[in-house]
Amino acid sequence: MPDRDEWGRDPSVQGMRKVFKAMETAQQELLERLDIQPYDLRIRRWRGKALALFERAWGIANQLGIAMDTATASAVYCSLLARIMGAEGIEVPEGLVPAGEEAARLIKEVFA
């Protein structure tokens, strides 16, 4: 059977898949560290809010010339998710989601 995933051979698609996988892995680790079960009904709402802010961060990254590689993207997304969870009463210990310099800059710009 021929390979029907023509998109999957595109390097930019492969790169985005890696970014999304890193974000998913980081999110899973965050939820585990906070002892939040994956079937918690609040997660969907938190993820929706985090995604909206993440899309804004991606646009800001483009404007500032910051590359959204897998490490930066996952740090930005998880930091945003943690902030949203914190705003809704979840105790998120300081430093639980480490963000590099570029990720921290983007997060600051999102909330400016």
Side-chain angles (χ1 to χ4, degrees):
M1 177 178 246
D3 183 15
R4 296 185 188 254
D5 186 12
E6 293 179 28
W7 284 98
R9 290 185 291 228
D10 183 324
S12 63
V13 172
Q14 290 175 353
M16 288 307 301
R17 286 181 177 171
K18 288 178 184 175
V19 167
F20 291 136
K21 180 64 178 172
M23 290 168 56
E24 181 180 297
T25 300
Q27 173 191 272
Q28 184 178 14
E29 290 172 3
L30 174 64
L31 294 174
E32 286 174 3
R33 288 180 179 160
L34 294 173
D35 198 28
I36 296 175
Q37 300 302 312
Y39 50 83
D40 189 315
L41 298 177
R42 300 171 294 177
I43 294 173
R44 183 176 186 168
R45 182 178 66 251
W46 296 336
R47 288 180 63 186
K49 290 178 179 181
L51 180 59
L53 292 173
F54 179 77
E55 289 172 349
R56 185 170 169 199
W58 194 288
I60 292 169
N62 283 335
Q63 292 172 354
L64 298 177
I66 297 173
M68 280 292 243
D69 57 15
T70 56
T72 303
S74 62
V76 168
Y77 177 76
C78 271
S79 295
L80 294 170
L81 182 61
R83 276 204 177 184
I84 287 166
M85 293 167 66
E88 293 199 11
I90 302 298
E91 186 176 335
V92 181
E94 188 74 30
L96 183 65
V97 182
E101 186 178 315
E102 290 180 335
R105 182 176 171 202
L106 288 172
I107 294 161
K108 184 178 178 182
E109 289 290 327
V110 166
F111 290 104

